[in-house]
Amino acid sequence: MLLNKTPTDAIIIDFPTPSSAPGSKFEKNLGKKEIIMSEILKALAELESDTANFDYRFKDFPFYYIASIQKRLQDNLAQSLRPHGVTPQEWRILASLNETDGLSTTEISAMTLLERSRVSRITDSMRDHDWITKQDNCTDKRFSLAFLTKNGRDKFSEILPVVCSVHKKLLHGFDESEAQLFIGFLRRVNHNALP
């Protein structure tokens, strides 16, 4: 369906008609129609000039769904990881150290999107489980660096298929090109959200 504004403040609505059925009842009823919509156009103009008049609906915006997906993902991950004795936050730290070993608390915080104080508490607990070890930073003694232990790498390998299964469920019905396009869109939105 195509909407085109004419000089007479009308909107022409072009409805696609099936080429296989020329002259059909469908074609007669849904051919080119001209609908005068001056009141609607006036309302749209007011919306453009004054967003205070906008009828805001929370669920009409993509960021509601992004927040909803994140909440459900965390809930699903927590349930799936519980039998393995790992929280979603611990998983994020394991994954970040598996990708780049020897990170400071600040670097882990940036990668995992967790607060520094929370990362510090979680990594202390993970050290008690012998999943990570902490070593002094040779360039700055004020900060220690976290490294995965063998047990930590084994734990990462153990739960990676569980996490992949949860993520795969979220992308059910997407083919490879759609999934890549979706990720590309999210990267662009994430970039736009930078200060």
Side-chain angles (χ1 to χ4, degrees), residues 128-157:
D128 292 343
H129 285 93
D130 191 31
W131 294 340
I132 67 169
T133 184
K134 292 186 177 182
Q135 299 175 14
D136 288 338
N137 185 344
C138 59
T139 58
D140 191 338
K141 299 294 184 186
R142 294 173 301 166
F143 304 106
S144 61
L145 303 178
F147 296 83
L148 284 182
T149 62
K150 181 183 182 308
N151 286 341
R153 293 194 184 282
D154 290 345
K155 181 58 73 172
F156 173 84
S157 299

Side-chain angles (χ1 to χ4, degrees), residues 42-54:
K42 191 186 298 180
L44 288 173
E46 288 174 7
L47 278 178
E48 289 177 3
S49 62
D50 184 6
T51 56
N53 293 331
F54 186 64

Side-chain angles (χ1 to χ4, degrees), residues 10-189:
I11 288 184
I12 304 297
I13 303 181
D14 291 322
F15 292 92
T17 58
S19 57
S20 59
S24 68
K25 185 176 180 182
F26 178 88
E27 184 181 46
K28 289 175 184 172
N29 290 338
L30 295 181
K32 182 178 275 191
K33 306 276 186 182
E34 182 170 338
I35 300 174
I36 306 300
M37 303 181 70
S38 58
E39 290 301 316
I40 293 176
L41 290 173
K42 191 186 298 180
L44 288 173
E46 288 174 7
L47 278 178
E48 289 177 3
S49 62
D50 184 6
T51 56
N53 293 331
F54 186 64
D55 186 14
Y56 183 87
R57 289 182 180 86
F58 195 52
K59 291 186 179 181
D60 286 346
F61 289 81
F63 308 107
Y64 163 80
Y65 294 99
I66 290 172
S68 176
I69 290 165
Q70 177 61 17
K71 171 71 169 66
R72 292 178 184 185
L73 172 61
Q74 287 299 104
D75 291 345
N76 292 340
L77 272 178
Q79 183 176 355
S80 298
L81 294 175
R82 194 171 293 120
H84 300 271
V86 178
T87 66
Q89 294 76 24
E90 289 169 337
W91 155 252
R92 284 153 74 176
I93 293 172
L94 285 171
S96 65
L97 290 174
N98 182 73
E99 188 173 321
T100 308
D101 213 5
L103 295 176
S104 68
T105 300
T106 301
E107 291 167 325
I108 294 172
S109 175
M111 284 188 76
T112 60
L113 307 177
L114 296 168
E115 293 179 5
R116 282 186 74 250
S117 58
R118 196 165 184 198
V119 168
S120 183
R121 287 194 303 272
I122 294 170
T123 53
D124 285 345
S125 172
M126 293 173 72
R127 183 173 52 185
D128 292 343
H129 285 93
D130 191 31
W131 294 340
I132 67 169
T133 184
K134 292 186 177 182
Q135 299 175 14
D136 288 338
N137 185 344
C138 59
T139 58
D140 191 338
K141 299 294 184 186
R142 294 173 301 166
F143 304 106
S144 61
L145 303 178
F147 296 83
L148 284 182
T149 62
K150 181 183 182 308
N151 286 341
R153 293 194 184 282
D154 290 345
K155 181 58 73 172
F156 173 84
S157 299
E158 172 192 328
I159 61 180
L160 178 60
V162 176
V163 174
C164 288
S165 176
V166 172
H167 289 176
K168 186 176 179 181
K169 182 175 181 272
L170 288 179
L171 294 175
H172 175 73
F174 286 73
D175 63 29
E176 184 62 28
S177 62
E178 288 173 327
Q180 290 304 314
L181 192 62
F182 177 62
I183 291 169
F185 288 152
L186 291 176
R187 284 183 179 138
R188 284 165 60 185
V189 172

